[in-house]
Amino acid sequence: MLKKVDHLGIAVRSLEAALAFYRDAAGLAVAHVEEVPDQRVKVAMIPVGDTRIELLEPTDPESPVAKSIESRGEGLHHVAFLVDDIEAALAQLAATGVRLIDATPRQGAGGARIAFVHPKSSFGVLYELCQR
Ligand code: ZN
């Protein structure tokens, strides 16, 4: 049900500051930047081979990404798996007792449908399921 690692979500205080590393030092190109109001973040998508880095800058100090930066600092926020059928993937996880943050998909960056798995069920890693 999991096709590949679609992207790595990295929480940063400032996209502009982070791009000094990802774009200017590492030489990666930003595919696009967009605001995702549902998650209260501004996102920069940076392709690397056949996966991507998703930089997440909070647009609201009360947003989940802002709270994550507050408690754990900047850095790896989540790992996203590409799936063909997000409802089926969520149903399979729920049926085996996995705790979900999102029982139903919501709108993510780039028009994707996404849902998060609770890290308490996935050994400390926040996983996102992502259907394009
Ligand atoms: Zn993501």
Side-chain angles (χ1 to χ4, degrees), residues 7 54 78 128:
H7 63 266
E54 177 187 72
H78 64 271
E128 175 188 323

Side-chain angles (χ1 to χ4, degrees), residues 71-121:
S71 60
R72 288 186 292 277
E74 296 176 294
L76 185 62
H77 180 261
H78 64 271
V79 175
F81 288 117
L82 184 69
V83 297
D84 282 334
D85 182 341
I86 196 165
E87 275 87 3
L90 288 171
Q92 180 180 326
L93 290 170
T96 53
V98 170
R99 201 166 141 197
L100 303 172
I101 292 175
D102 302 303
T104 55
R106 52 189 162 124
Q107 202 64 42
R113 299 171 68 228
I114 65 167
F116 286 97
V117 176
H118 200 287
K120 284 222 157 53
S121 281

Side-chain angles (χ1 to χ4, degrees), residues 13-28:
R13 289 192 177 87
S14 157
L15 284 186
E16 247 344 279
L19 287 175
F21 170 75
Y22 288 96
R23 183 189 56 205
D24 305 339
L28 298 167

